[in-house]
Amino acid sequence: MEVMVAKTAGFCFGVKRAVDQVYEEIQNGRPPICTLGPIIHNEEVVRDLEEKGVRVLKDEEDLKDLEDGTVIIRSHGVGKSIYERIRNQGLKLVDATCPFVKKIHRIVEEQNQQGRRVIIIGDQDHPEVEGIRGWGDERTLVVKNQKEIEELPDLRGEKLCIVSQTTFNYNKFKELVEKFSEKGYDIIVLNTICNATQERQVEAERIASQVEAMIVIGGKNSSNTRKLYEICRKECKNTYYIQTLGDFDPESVSSVRSVGITAGASTPKNIIEEVLTNVRAIK
């Protein structure tokens, strides 16, 4: 059996940086050490950190009750008001926000100051998008498909700035931008999908088009992994979404001659290697 593994599979720069910062705080930080939400969308990593004493704050209410210690802002980032709350409570702040996400925060704040309404293309319930929106104002909007664009009020006469969730599907982003352009709006478009996401999606699509079965590894709540699965599924009907080796059924690929493997940006290297080893062992 031929096995093709994506070179871009696994931790991206922003995720690795965030996880490393948490482990550094475990060694040197001011206890209790907390992350505002899971540091990344991977249950295995979060479980390991909890075993080492790191507490996950679920929301702002949990944060309000914290009287001392260290709060780590995860790679997805948060809104401006959260920074102010952490500082006002006298807590140690460690900012592990991905630099690519921080760039969007600056863009949104600057564009608002220049009088433009910001439109974020992405999933409004994703923590990254919630954080980006927290750098805008009451006019800031979020859309993720054509239907939601059609449901928007008439924005003619306004100046608009369009940005994207870093992990959004690039082809879908282009399609939605085109829909805004067709309406004749005054827009500037800033493609804020990170290069790592684009490269990962392009490579996954290429591999999926060349194999008989495709395995996508990543957390159940990982937006970028879910998008990889959707992209691969279009190219290869035998595409399987697994979180760990325990989800993998060897029988699902036992009769094929070629298998591709990719993984989301929050998937640790050891999980990818475990799956790879088991796929190669199939006779």
Side-chain angles (χ1 to χ4, degrees), residues 229-248:
Y229 172 76
E230 293 168 359
I231 289 168
C232 292
R233 187 74 175 78
K234 285 184 179 180
E235 298 295 328
C236 177
K237 66 178 182 179
N238 296 321
T239 296
Y240 305 94
Y241 189 156
I242 66 173
Q243 185 164 257
T244 66
L245 179 61
D247 304 321
F248 175 58

Side-chain angles (χ1 to χ4, degrees), residues 20-62:
D20 287 348
Q21 282 182 273
V22 181
Y23 281 106
E24 286 175 15
E25 288 303 313
I26 291 172
Q27 297 295 321
N28 310 309
R30 174 174 137 195
I33 296 169
C34 308
T35 62
L36 192 52
I39 190 67
I40 58 173
H41 282 149
N42 186 276
E43 293 179 9
E44 303 296 310
V45 173
V46 172
R47 187 179 301 117
D48 182 64
L49 292 172
E50 287 180 331
E51 289 173 358
K52 291 177 169 58
V54 177
R55 177 187 168 195
V56 177
L57 302 177
K58 294 179 182 178
D59 48 35
E60 277 195 71
E61 289 303 313
D62 279 355

Side-chain angles (χ1 to χ4, degrees), residues 261-280:
I261 298 174
T262 189
S266 300
T267 307
K269 185 178 180 180
N270 67 295
I271 295 179
I272 300 170
E273 290 177 343
E274 285 177 351
V275 174
L276 174 59
T277 299
N278 278 266
V279 170
R280 284 179 170 163

